[in-house]
Every structure is written in C-alpha cells, then in structure tokens.
Amino acid sequence: GGLQELATLFHRIALAQFAPEALLDDAERERLTPYARALDAEYLQLAYQIAIHGRDELSLAPDDYAGFVMTLLRLHAFAPGRAGAAVPTGAISTSASQ
C-alpha cells in the first residue's frame, strides 16, 4: 500500500544519506540524492516511524482513507519548518494507492 511505499522511500533516502554505495542502481541513487541532501536525518527517521506506525494503525481508523490522510497530516505536522522541507520537485513518482 501507499504507506508501505512511503516507508520504503524514507528508508531508501536514509540509505542515500549514509551509505549511497548501498544503492546499487545508479538511477535510483541519482533520483534520491536531492532528497538525501534536502531532508534532515532526524526528520527522515521520524517520518519513517510515522509511516510504519500509520500503516499499523490503519485497522483502528474509521476507514483506510482516513488513516492514510491522518498519517500524511502527521508527517506534515512534524516537518521541519511546518511549511514543508525544501524538497526538489519531480524526484518522486507518486502512486496514491495504498
């Protein structure tokens, strides 16, 4: 689902920050490097936790959509500067399905 993909993305960005050589695919490393530079390492860890906990809590939400949206709002609420981190546009392909 969408939250699992988001958690995977945060994991891959963290790898790009700390061990870029672990990303064997050059295209993936190139695509994630701007995020690795723009996002704070502590926020990435928090965002990963929020995504996996949001996924675990989906069954407690009124419906999957509400749980997904609340997780995204939680990510926004804890984002550095709250207006959103300086993330380059076009570097993430979105798939809104969960």
Side-chain angles (χ1 to χ4, degrees):
L3 293 177
Q4 185 164 338
E5 289 179 30
L6 193 56
T8 298
L9 178 61
F10 291 138
H11 163 254
R12 303 303 286 176
I13 294 170
L15 274 179
Q17 275 185 343
F18 293 106
E21 65 280 356
L23 300 173
L24 301 178
D25 183 335
D26 290 337
E28 180 186 29
R29 188 177 324 112
E30 185 176 322
R31 182 174 61 91
L32 297 179
T33 295
Y35 291 99
R37 290 183 180 143
L39 295 172
D40 180 72
E42 289 179 6
Y43 176 70
L44 268 178
Q45 294 299 319
L46 177 63
Y48 176 81
Q49 288 292 97
I50 289 171
I52 61 171
H53 286 293
R55 189 187 72 196
D56 288 344
E57 295 170 353
L58 276 179
S59 64
L60 302 174
D63 55 57
D64 285 351
Y65 177 77
F68 182 73
V69 169
M70 287 304 294
T71 301
L72 294 180
L73 291 173
R74 197 174 305 150
L75 284 167
H76 176 71
F78 288 99
R82 283 191 40 114
V87 177
T89 58
I92 295 179
S93 62
T94 57
S95 71
S97 69
Q98 13 163 0

